[in-house]
C-alpha cells in the first residue's frame, strides 16, 4: 500500500462514529437536493387578460410594424413616386485638367461612354462646369455648387524640340 493511503486510513480510524454519521447525512441531503429539486420561489399565478379596447394611438401594437396594410397612405403624392426614389444622379470623376495660358479644360467622366474635354459653361444633363483651377473643378447641378478636387499628380507637358531641318 502507498504511504499516503496508509496515512489516510489511520486518520479515518482515529475519527469516531459521530463525524462519520454527520458526513454521511450531509452527503445524503446533497444527493437528494440534486435528484429532487424543489422550487425556491412560488410561481405567481398568470395575470388575467385585460379586454380593454385600444386607444387611438395604440393601434400599432395590434399589428406588426412593417405590415404593408397596417394603415392607410397619408403622405402627399402618389405611393409610386415614393417607391421609385430620386432620379439617378451622375457620379462625376475628374480625370484630367488642362490649363494652357488662359484657356482651361477638364476631362470629367460622368459614366457615359464618350469623354470630352469641357470648358467652363459646358456640361451634360443637369450639371455644368462653372470654374476650372489647377487643383479642382467647380460644378453646378440644379443650383447646388460642388467642387471636385483633382487628386492626380501635376504634369508639365513640353513639346519635343524640332529637328534642325524643320526650323525656320
Amino acid at each position: 500500500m502507498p504511504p499516503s493511503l496508509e496515512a489516510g486510513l489511520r486518520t479515518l480510524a482515529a475519527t469516531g462514529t459521530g463525524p462519520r454519521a454527520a458526513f454521511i447525512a450531509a452527503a445524503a441531503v446533497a444527493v437528494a437536493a440534486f435528484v429532487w429539486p424543489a422550487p425556491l420561489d412560488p410561481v405567481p399565478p398568470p395575470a388575467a387578460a385585460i379586454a380593454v379596447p385600444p386607444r387611438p394611438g395604440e393601434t400599432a401594437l395590434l399589428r406588426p410594424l412593417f405590415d404593408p396594410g397596417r394603415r392607410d397612405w397619408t403622405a402627399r403624392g402618389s405611393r409610386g413616386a415614393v417607391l421609385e426614389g430620386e432620379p439617378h444622379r451622375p457620379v462625376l470623376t475628374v480625370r484630367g485638367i488642362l490649363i494652357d495660358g488662359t484657356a482651361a479644360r477638364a476631362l470629367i467622366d460622368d459614366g457615359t461612354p464618350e469623354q470630352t474635354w469641357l470648358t467652363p459653361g459646358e456640361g451634360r444633363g443637369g450639371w455644368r462646369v462653372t470654374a476650372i483651377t489647377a487643383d479642382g473643378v467647380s460644378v453646378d447641378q440644379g443650383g447646388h455648387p460642388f467642387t471636385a478636387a483633382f487628386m492626380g499628380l501635376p504634369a508639365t507637358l513640353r513639346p519635343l524640340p524640332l529637328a534642325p531641318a524643320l526650323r525656320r
Side-chain angles (χ1 to χ4, degrees), residues 33-46:
F34 178 74
V35 174
W36 186 26
L40 299 177
D41 296 331
V43 178

Side-chain angles (χ1 to χ4, degrees), residues 6 10 20 46 51 62 94 107 121 127-129 152 157 166 168:
E6 290 180 16
R10 274 187 266 136
R20 289 181 190 177
L62 299 178
V94 178
L107 181 62
W127 59 272
R128 299 281 175 251
V129 176
L157 301 176
L166 298 175
R168 281 191 149 193

Side-chain angles (χ1 to χ4, degrees), residues 43-74:
V43 178
I50 302 172
V52 176
R55 289 182 263 170
E58 295 178 351
T59 57
L61 300 176
L62 299 178
R63 292 193 296 198
L65 180 62
F66 297 108
D67 183 13
R70 187 169 65 90
R71 62 180 171 156
D72 294 333
W73 179 254
T74 57

Side-chain angles (χ1 to χ4, degrees), residues 2 12 37 45 49 52 55 58 77 95 98 111 119-120 130 142 151 164-165 168:
L12 183 62
V52 176
R55 289 182 263 170
E58 295 178 351
R95 298 286 180 195
L98 178 63
T119 60
T130 56
M151 304 301 286
R168 281 191 149 193

Side-chain angles (χ1 to χ4, degrees), residues 22-130:
F23 175 76
I24 291 172
V29 168
V31 169
F34 178 74
V35 174
W36 186 26
L40 299 177
D41 296 331
V43 178
I50 302 172
V52 176
R55 289 182 263 170
E58 295 178 351
T59 57
L61 300 176
L62 299 178
R63 292 193 296 198
L65 180 62
F66 297 108
D67 183 13
R70 187 169 65 90
R71 62 180 171 156
D72 294 333
W73 179 254
T74 57
R76 294 181 187 169
S78 68
R79 182 176 277 192
V82 172
L83 294 177
E84 287 176 10
E86 294 183 11
H88 174 69
R89 292 185 179 176
V91 176
L92 304 177
T93 307
V94 178
R95 298 286 180 195
I97 296 175
L98 178 63
I99 299 177
D100 184 18
T102 59
R105 294 182 285 175
L107 181 62
I108 299 176
D109 182 10
D110 63 349
T112 58
E114 57 189 60
Q115 295 181 3
T116 59
W117 290 91
L118 302 172
T119 60
E122 295 179 338
R124 293 190 188 121
W127 59 272
R128 299 281 175 251
V129 176
T130 56

